[in-house]
Amino acid sequence: MEKRTYSTDREIKALKPAAEKGKSYDVKDAKAQNLFVRVRPADSAGQFRRTFVLMTRLPGAKNTTRFSLGDYGDITLEEARDRAAEWRKKIRDGINPREEAEEEARRKEEMRSHAAAEAATKDKLRFGVVIEEYLSRHVKGQRRGGPAEREIRNELIPVWKDKLITEIARRDVVTLIDTITDRGAKYQAHNVLGHARTFFNWAIDRSKYGLETSPCDRLRPARVIGAKKPRQRVLNDAELVALWEAADDMERPKLTAEGKDATVPAGYPYGSIFKLLVATGQRKSEVAEARWREFHPELVRLLRNRKTGSPPIDWDKVENTWKMWIIPSERFKSDATHTVPLSNEALAILAALPHFVGGDHLFSTTGGKLPVGNFGNAKTRLDGHMLAILRKKAEESGDDPATADLPPFVLHDIRRTVRTRLSALRVPEETAEMVIGHAKQGLARTYNQNTFDDEKREALNLWAARLRSIVSPPPTNVVDIRTVQNA
């Protein structure tokens, strides 16, 4: 040991690294008993450590023990002197400060590990984590799984994603539902409350999230939101004309590489969907997610092999068995196969659709691989086009365009419109209900397996003729014989 001492920071900073590699030298503190600075050799970058050490003998020990107090720079000279005095006192009291420090370090590590484990457990209980498992295990694969997932992602996850599911209280549910209701979306509020109720009941049944009660218990939708009144909106003739024309004005979304070379009709894909909704009266998901495999292969072959510029197909000469759309049970509300006879109007819409190589979805921007979604934006654009058309027609009629109005409607109201028009055409109630896919009731559902395809075809042909007379009326001096016969 070199016989050197230090008493100030400047003297410590002036110490040179140990000259011989692998060896160190100690410098004694001139003011603190048994306190030294151990100086180590420099590394390849010229850096070296100066470590405060306390050299003393434990009670009953024969040899001197060296205790490291910390590197200069990590602790100051004053801190080292205070720590040395503290440790000397502990040693006089029979306490081994190194063992005490190690025990303290072990205790802190245990606390850190416990806190980390508790944080990990809490993280698994966050709504944003549990809801993903719910969507994966419970929602995906359901017939209405897609719309349900979208509503959950749009309404529930943004609000509760960071909250523990055990900390979501009834007031949180009520606050969320009130927010949705206050923006005028009562039907959406009912849907969201239903999703929340189902989720929390599912979480309780899983018995792995520490949840014993649901914050939705005893929340009655009629009291929290108000009675869910049945919708009664039906589109009139002028609105049907505006919708039919607006469908062709819909902006085409950008197609992916798989579909960019396809020839698509005006307004595709959303405009084509809206028209097919009007022509068939089927549900939005049933139309939007349709696949070519659901149609007769001969019909698909006929449509696919048509060349650009070919004359229109004379659908009256095509076999009725080809002109059929079969919606599989996994896509239909009542979990039963549903047949939709195709009228000439519906067939004309299908004839204009592209046939992609990469997938067989009719309405797609990904080359047929996936069906389109995001109907909220598409519906907003449809409303804008319809209102513009209604105002233009009002102006052409000599009326004030500002008086033209388009009361709010949802896409499902198109289905109600078709059902109402079928009754106006004197289609029997049972047939009209089966056209739009309402299930048979009572024993008839079990024992009467007749699909009534002929009756449904007649009904849809009647509606097609009526629709044609509305959206494409003949000149005033021409009488459409089909319309007269079907009136």
Side-chain angles (χ1 to χ4, degrees):
M1 179 187 304
E2 296 187 14
K3 295 183 178 298
R4 298 179 58 182
T5 61
Y6 66 88
S7 59
T8 66
D9 278 293
R10 187 172 69 175
E11 290 174 330
I12 295 177
K13 292 177 181 177
L15 294 173
K16 304 298 183 183
E20 189 174 349
K21 189 175 182 179
K23 291 189 176 181
S24 305
Y25 69 90
D26 296 326
V27 182
K28 190 177 185 305
D29 191 303
K31 297 182 179 180
Q33 180 184 356
N34 298 335
L35 179 62
F36 295 81
V37 169
R38 167 149 286 203
V39 184
R40 305 180 188 278
D43 59 20
S44 58
Q47 302 297 316
F48 65 100
R49 295 170 58 195
R50 289 158 289 194
T51 306
F52 291 107
V53 293
L54 177 66
M55 296 186 193
T56 188
R57 184 182 294 114
L58 294 172
K62 295 181 179 180
N63 300 318
T64 299
T65 300
R66 183 181 286 110
F67 296 94
S68 175
L69 302 180
D71 287 349
Y72 180 69
D74 293 337
I75 62 173
T76 66
L77 172 58
E78 291 304 317
E79 288 172 337
R81 285 170 174 169
D82 290 343
R83 191 173 298 179
E86 179 185 349
W87 280 33
R88 286 195 300 271
K89 181 179 184 304
K90 288 182 178 181
I91 291 170
R92 287 195 300 271
D93 295 339
I95 300 172
N96 186 330
R98 178 180 293 166
E99 293 178 355
E100 184 184 58
E102 291 173 351
E103 178 61 29
E104 177 66 13
R106 280 194 298 272
R107 188 181 68 81
K108 288 182 177 180
E109 177 60 24
E110 288 177 359
M111 291 177 63
R112 189 199 66 77
S113 298
H114 177 74
E118 189 175 63
T121 300
K122 281 189 173 182
D123 186 68
K124 292 178 181 179
L125 295 180
R126 284 190 304 108
F127 180 85
V129 174
V130 182
I131 195 68
E132 291 297 337
E133 184 176 0
Y134 169 75
L135 291 171
S136 175
R137 292 182 178 275
H138 182 75
V139 176
K140 289 189 186 302
Q142 293 185 2
R143 190 192 62 81
R144 285 191 52 79
E149 181 173 351
R150 283 193 294 274
E151 290 174 341
I152 288 170
R153 292 196 181 281
N154 290 338
E155 303 287 0
L156 294 177
I157 293 180
V159 179
W160 292 341
K161 64 180 180 180
D162 294 325
K163 293 179 73 73
L164 302 183
I165 63 170
T166 52
E167 294 178 354
I168 297 175
R170 181 180 300 177
R171 64 178 176 275
D172 297 315
V173 178
V174 172
T175 299
L176 173 61
I177 299 304
D178 284 348
T179 300
I180 298 172
T181 303
D182 290 345
R183 70 175 193 240
K186 268 192 163 187
Y187 285 88
Q188 182 76 337
H190 278 278
N191 292 342
V192 172
L193 180 55
H195 295 320
R197 189 189 306 279
T198 304
F199 164 74
F200 285 111
N201 288 341
W202 173 87
I204 292 171
D205 291 342
R206 298 284 291 174
S207 301
K208 57 184 282 190
Y209 303 111
L211 194 65
E212 299 294 336
T213 59
S214 167
C216 298
D217 284 351
R218 302 181 69 181
L219 280 181
R220 298 183 181 180
R223 291 184 179 179
V224 177
I225 307 168
K228 190 175 183 180
K229 298 178 181 178
R231 297 187 64 89
Q232 298 179 334
R233 179 76 162 91
V234 173
L235 276 65
N236 59 35
D237 286 2
E239 291 167 342
L240 284 172
V241 171
L243 186 153
W244 202 260
E245 294 182 7
D248 290 334
D249 293 336
M250 296 291 292
E251 299 82 358
R252 299 177 187 176
K254 184 177 180 180
L255 301 180
T256 62
E258 295 87 344
K260 65 182 180 62
D261 295 328
T263 301
V264 298
Y268 180 87
Y270 295 105
S272 304
I273 291 173
F274 298 150
K275 281 188 172 182
L276 200 55
L277 289 173
V278 177
T280 65
Q282 304 309 301
R283 298 176 179 89
K284 180 191 71 177
S285 62
E286 293 159 4
V287 172
E289 298 169 17
R291 311 183 76 161
W292 285 116
R293 69 187 66 174
E294 298 169 4
F295 298 84
H296 196 286
E298 292 299 331
L299 173 65
V300 177
R301 187 176 297 110
L302 175 64
L303 296 177
R304 183 172 286 142
N305 292 338
R306 288 188 72 232
K307 300 193 180 297
T308 304
S310 299
I313 299 172
D314 186 350
W315 293 113
D316 292 332
K317 294 181 180 179
V318 177
E319 295 183 29
N320 281 345
T321 54
W322 293 14
K323 299 184 291 186
M324 186 68 72
W325 173 21
I326 301 177
I327 303 175
S329 58
E330 61 268 20
R331 289 211 313 112
F332 195 64
K333 184 174 182 179
S334 59
D335 294 325
T337 300
H338 177 55
T339 57
V340 183
L342 298 168
S343 65
N344 290 358
E345 293 298 321
L347 289 163
I349 297 168
L350 295 179
L353 300 182
H355 293 262
F356 300 108
V357 176
D360 72 338
H361 283 286
L362 274 64
F363 306 103
S364 174
T365 58
T366 57
K369 291 181 179 179
L370 298 170
V372 294
N374 196 15
F375 277 89
N377 289 339
K379 175 59 168 55
T380 299
R381 296 198 301 273
L382 176 70
D383 291 344
H385 288 308
M386 288 179 64
L387 184 57
I389 290 169
L390 289 169
R391 287 176 175 171
K392 181 179 179 182
K393 290 185 181 298
E395 185 176 14
E396 291 172 349
S397 300
D399 298 326
D400 182 359
T403 62
D405 186 30
L406 179 64
F409 75 97
V410 298
L411 292 179
H412 197 76
D413 294 334
I414 296 175
R415 180 173 163 80
R416 182 180 302 103
T417 300
V418 175
R419 175 62 182 85
T420 301
R421 297 302 182 114
L422 290 175
S423 290
L425 292 168
R426 301 180 182 178
V427 172
E429 292 296 298
E430 182 180 31
T431 302
E433 287 293 289
M434 295 193 68
V435 164
I436 64 172
H438 283 171
K440 303 185 188 78
Q441 301 298 314
L443 291 176
R445 183 170 184 174
T446 302
Y447 294 103
N448 186 358
Q449 297 302 308
N450 182 12
T451 56
F452 294 89
D453 290 339
D454 291 339
E455 291 83 352
K456 289 192 290 186
R457 184 178 299 282
E458 182 180 355
L460 284 168
N461 284 340
L462 280 171
W463 166 234
R466 177 62 183 138
L467 176 62
R468 191 182 313 114
S469 72
I470 295 171
V471 300
S472 302
T476 54
N477 62 340
V478 177
V479 178
D480 189 333
I481 299 300
R482 292 169 297 184
T483 303
V484 173
Q485 290 174 339
N486 294 329

